[in-house]
């Protein structure tokens, strides 16, 4: 709506990414979907090069990749801990680093990292997720200090409970929602 061409990066099912591209194109903008596992540094670098070639160098980077593998710490498997940290935190690190030089050279850029309220207050059964989202807050603050003098802005958004595929199983009577002042989940549009 504000005139940006959009690169949609996905892993898994391509259909939702293509649907988002169609919606963007219906608004008169260019959009293209790219498969990329953000855990893979080389894949990230190649994807950023492909985006630059197809749509031009990025002006805005939104790091929104995220997964959960919930469970109590006592029984949490190392691979579930590592997977969540690798996607939620290290994936953002890879994406920022792949765009870093271009942003620095242009002396312009916006980096928006999507964290979570869990990164601020923690959550039972989410030591991996809360740690990844808290780490994303620290990463954002450090990147902001590194790149701010170059005209690059880095911010972090820490939404509460938002209606997404990740929260689809949370019921209205969930005690966590009782902590939300409005007693209901927000919508993606509220975050935007």
């Amino acid at each position: 709506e504000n005139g940006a061409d959009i690169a949609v990066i996905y892993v898994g099912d391509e259909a939702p990414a293509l649907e988002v591209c169609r919606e963007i194109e219906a608004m008169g903008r260019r959009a293209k979907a790219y498969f990329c596992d953000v855990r893979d540094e080389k894949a990230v670098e190649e994807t950023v090069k492909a985006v630059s070639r197809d749509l031009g160098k990025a002006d805005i980077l939104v790091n929104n990749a995220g997964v959960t593998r919930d469970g109590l710490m006592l029984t949490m498997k190392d691979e579930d801990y590592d997977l969540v940290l690798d996607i939620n935190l290290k994936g953002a690190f890879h994406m920022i680093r792949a765009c870093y030089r271009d942003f620095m050279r242009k002396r312009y850029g916006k980096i928006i990292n999507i964290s979570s309220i869990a990164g601020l207050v923690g959550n039972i059964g989410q030591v991996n997720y809360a740690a990844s989202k808290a780490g994303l807050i620290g990463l954002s603050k450090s990147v902001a200090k590194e790149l701010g003098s170059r005209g690059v802005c880095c911010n972090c958004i820490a939404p509460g409970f938002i209606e997404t595929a990740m929260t689809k199983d949370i019921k209205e009577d969930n005690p966590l929602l009782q902590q939300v002042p409005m007693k209901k989940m927000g919508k993606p549009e509220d975050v935007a």
Side-chain angles (χ1 to χ4, degrees):
E1 291 175 351
N2 291 318
D5 295 327
I6 308 290
V8 177
I9 297 174
Y10 72 96
V11 68
D13 187 9
E14 181 183 36
L18 294 176
E19 176 59 28
V20 169
C21 289
R22 283 191 289 276
E23 290 175 19
I24 293 164
E25 290 166 346
M27 289 188 240
R29 302 308 310 168
R30 293 183 304 157
K32 186 165 180 178
Y34 300 85
F35 178 89
C36 180
D37 183 340
V38 295
R39 296 175 294 173
D40 182 341
E41 179 183 10
K42 296 264 186 262
V44 167
E45 289 170 2
E46 290 305 313
T47 300
V48 169
K49 285 179 189 172
V51 169
S52 293
R53 195 173 47 248
D54 298 340
L55 299 172
K57 292 195 183 301
D59 291 317
I60 302 167
L61 170 64
V62 178
N63 285 306
N64 193 37
V67 297
T68 59
R69 293 296 183 272
D70 296 348
L72 295 177
M73 185 176 180
L74 181 64
T75 57
M76 183 175 287
K77 296 177 182 146
D78 282 5
E79 51 267 24
D80 288 339
Y81 184 88
D82 293 342
L83 176 75
V84 171
L85 269 285
D86 285 348
I87 292 173
N88 298 4
L89 181 56
K90 197 169 187 180
F93 171 77
H94 286 155
M95 291 300 299
I96 293 167
R97 189 165 59 187
C99 295
Y100 194 104
R101 282 190 180 88
D102 286 341
F103 284 164
M104 232 175 45
R105 286 183 188 122
K106 286 192 302 189
R107 300 189 70 78
Y108 178 83
K110 305 281 185 203
I111 301 168
I112 304 163
N113 294 319
I114 307 299
S115 181
S116 168
I117 190 70
L120 296 168
V121 300
N123 240 351
I124 294 171
Q126 287 194 315
V127 294
N128 50 2
Y129 184 76
S132 72
K133 294 303 184 171
L136 199 51
I137 294 168
L139 174 74
S140 300
K141 289 178 179 185
S142 295
V143 169
K145 289 179 179 181
E146 278 190 34
L147 289 174
S149 66
R150 297 286 195 162
V152 179
C153 179
C154 181
N155 284 296
C156 193
I157 299 172
F161 293 101
I162 304 298
E163 291 178 9
T164 66
M166 193 182 294
T167 60
K168 71 182 181 323
D169 295 331
I170 296 177
K171 306 293 183 232
E172 285 186 26
D173 62 347
N174 188 303
L176 292 173
L177 286 179
Q178 299 313 306
Q179 298 172 27
V180 177
M182 295 182 80
K183 308 290 187 238
K184 65 177 185 172
M185 284 202 217
K187 304 231 181 276
E189 297 80 9
D190 298 329
V191 177

